[in-house]
């Protein structure tokens, strides 16, 4: 990759980062969402993060991988249970990584 | 602020990817400071390494970043009263983890007048952890065995962040919809599936909430 392409890439991505992030905090900060939209916004965290997490746990090479040998699925279940019980991010991380590597070891 | 280990390891992954794609350490650091968007950087680097034309790569990076616009809209009521420069700085600081932590805090402390300082503090910590991770990835990343699966830590962090938000029937409906639609649309390019499944999940949440408000005698969930 040549130097110009690298810096054009960085500049372009930086711009898109700022525009997407600043859209309503900076650029259109005068926009007050009508009440129905405000109620909809409470679902944003669940909508985005569940959409990011579930395919990582259940898909392998784009295919549904529902099997005992799916170490990420076990790790995810352990992490969800830990997060539910403790509300502690570090414990969730440790439980998930421990189960991930344990499941891989058990599967050989 | 215990989400930080996941962010550091995600930063390491990004640092490794940038060096792997042929960026110099300086360009890598510039990218992580100026772009500051792990998923978007990884998607762009993957595409450009595969020989995709620059406009397409930028479009992909933009689509991956679209979730920030929802975060921006969701945070705006809490930051609207601040001066423009502060809001510009806060815009730059929007991140997955900072957003989830802050929205959690705002929900729990609806009357805290200094809540934007919570947002600022968590954003600074997330930003710092990310940059530390990136530099580590650039410097020592190649010697970390891929069998450690460090990239999985960010998924575990997201799990820890999202679970407290699933607390009533409407949010359960949103979560189930997000899960099903995300699986069904995972094959779409540029992670367009993320936008489709997020929109469907928000729709499902609204629908369930609306039905509940139409039937006030229904069991409170």
């Amino acid at each position: 990759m040549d130097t110009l392409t690298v810096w054009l890439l960085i500049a372009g991505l930086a711009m898109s980062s700022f525009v997407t992030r600043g859209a309503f905090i900076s650029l259109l900060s005068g926009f007050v969402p009508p009440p129905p939209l405000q109620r909809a916004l409470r679902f944003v965290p669940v909508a985005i993060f569940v959409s990011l997490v579930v395919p990582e746990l259940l898909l392998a090479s784009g295919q549904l991988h529902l099997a005992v040998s799916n170490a990420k699925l076990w790790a995810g279940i352990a992490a969800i249970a830990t997060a539910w019980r403790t509300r502690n991010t570090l414990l969730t991380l440790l439980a998930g990584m421990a189960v991930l590597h344990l499941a891989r070891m058990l599967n050989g | 602020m215990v989400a930080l280990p996941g962010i550091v390891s995600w930063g390491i992954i990004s640092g490794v990817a940038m060096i792997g794609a042929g960026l110099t350490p300086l360009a890598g650091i510039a990218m992580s400071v100026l772009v500051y968007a792990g998923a978007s950087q990884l998607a762009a680097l993957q595409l450009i390494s595969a020989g995709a034309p620059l406009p397409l790569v930028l479009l992909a990076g933009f689509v991956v970043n679209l979730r920030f616009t929802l975060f921006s809209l969701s945070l705006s009521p809490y930051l609207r009263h601040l001066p423009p420069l502060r809001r510009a700085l806060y815009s730059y600081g929007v991140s997955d983890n900072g957003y989830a932590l802050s929205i959690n805090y705002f929900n729990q402390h609806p009357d805290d007048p200094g809540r934007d300082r919570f947002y600022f503090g968590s954003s600074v910590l997330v930003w710092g952890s990310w940059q530390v991770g990136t530099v580590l990835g650039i410097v020592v990343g190649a010697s970390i065995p891929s069998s450690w699966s460090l990239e999985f830590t960010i998924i575990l962090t997201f799990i820890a962040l999202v679970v407290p938000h699933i607390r009533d029937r409407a949010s359960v409906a949103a979560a189930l919809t997000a899960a099903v639609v995300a699986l069904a649309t995972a094959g779409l390019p540029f992670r367009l599936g993320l936008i489709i499944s997020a929109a469907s999940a928000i729709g499902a949440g609204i629908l369930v909430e609306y039905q509940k408000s139409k039937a006030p005698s229904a069991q409170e969930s």
Side-chain angles (χ1 to χ4, degrees):
Chain A
M1 206 186 329
D2 62 281
T3 315
L4 180 67
T5 311
V6 169
W7 290 99
L8 282 176
L9 176 71
I10 293 174
L13 287 178
M15 221 147 59
S16 100
S17 268
F18 191 81
V19 169
T20 50
R21 289 176 155 131
F24 294 100
I25 299 177
S26 276
L27 308 172
L28 303 170
S29 64
F31 173 74
V32 179
L37 182 55
Q38 283 178 24
R39 283 197 295 278
L41 289 177
R42 92 169 168 94
F43 298 109
V44 168
V46 170
I48 296 283
F49 291 112
V50 172
S51 301
L52 286 171
V53 165
V54 169
E56 291 288 333
L57 301 183
L58 289 180
L59 298 181
S61 319
Q63 298 297 312
L64 202 57
H65 184 33
L66 280 173
V68 183
S69 62
N70 183 350
K72 284 189 174 175
L73 180 55
W74 291 117
I77 292 170
I80 291 166
T82 311
W84 192 268
R85 298 291 302 177
T86 68
R87 299 282 147 113
N88 181 317
T89 308
L90 186 60
L91 282 179
T92 303
L93 198 62
L94 292 174
M97 289 312 275
V99 170
L100 178 75
H101 288 287
L102 192 69
R104 280 187 184 161
M105 259 160 45
L106 293 177
N107 284 317
Chain B
M1 286 310 133
V2 280
L4 303 181
I7 301 164
V8 173
S9 31
W10 181 230
I12 293 176
I13 300 297
S14 160
V16 172
M18 290 189 292
I19 298 302
L23 267 63
T24 60
L26 176 69
I29 290 169
M31 189 182 215
S32 93
V33 171
L34 295 173
V35 181
Y36 183 46
S40 166
Q41 288 170 225
L42 289 179
L45 291 170
Q46 215 167 18
L47 283 169
I48 209 150
S49 301
L54 190 63
L56 188 80
V57 175
L58 291 177
L59 178 68
F62 178 77
V63 173
V64 176
N65 267 342
L66 274 178
R67 70 187 185 289
F68 288 144
T69 303
L70 274 178
F71 296 165
S72 187
L73 184 57
S74 171
L75 288 168
S76 65
Y78 305 99
L79 306 176
R80 185 177 297 127
H81 60 287
L82 298 168
L85 261 179
R86 183 90 60 89
R87 277 187 281 110
L89 179 69
Y90 284 8
S91 300
Y92 167 74
V94 171
S95 63
D96 293 302
N97 291 279
Y99 167 73
L101 290 167
S102 299
I103 282 294
N104 230 347
Y105 181 85
F106 295 162
N107 287 338
Q108 283 162 9
H109 304 86
D111 301 320
D112 178 1
R115 59 197 166 187
D116 67 283
R117 277 184 300 231
F118 183 92
Y119 172 78
F120 179 71
S122 49
S123 299
V124 166
L125 286 170
V126 168
W127 187 88
S129 311
W130 167 257
Q131 304 302 347
V132 166
T134 299
V135 172
L136 277 176
I138 289 173
V139 177
V140 299
S143 55
I144 296 174
S146 65
S147 65
W148 287 11
S149 295
L150 275 188
E151 74 285 350
F152 195 58
T153 53
I154 197 66
I155 296 300
L156 296 171
T157 306
F158 288 164
I159 289 175
L161 291 172
V162 76
V163 162
H165 289 279
I166 304 176
R167 54 174 188 266
D168 56 10
R169 270 200 348 227
S171 53
V172 168
L176 291 176
T177 308
V180 171
V181 180
L183 287 173
T185 57
L188 295 178
F190 308 151
R191 302 190 92 167
L192 274 172
L194 175 61
I195 300 303
I196 297 173
S197 71
S200 319
I202 292 171
I206 295 169
L207 208 65
V208 169
E209 200 169 58
Y210 177 73
Q211 282 175 342
K212 205 172 75 179
S213 68
K214 292 273 277 189
S217 59
Q219 183 196 340
E220 185 61 34
S221 52

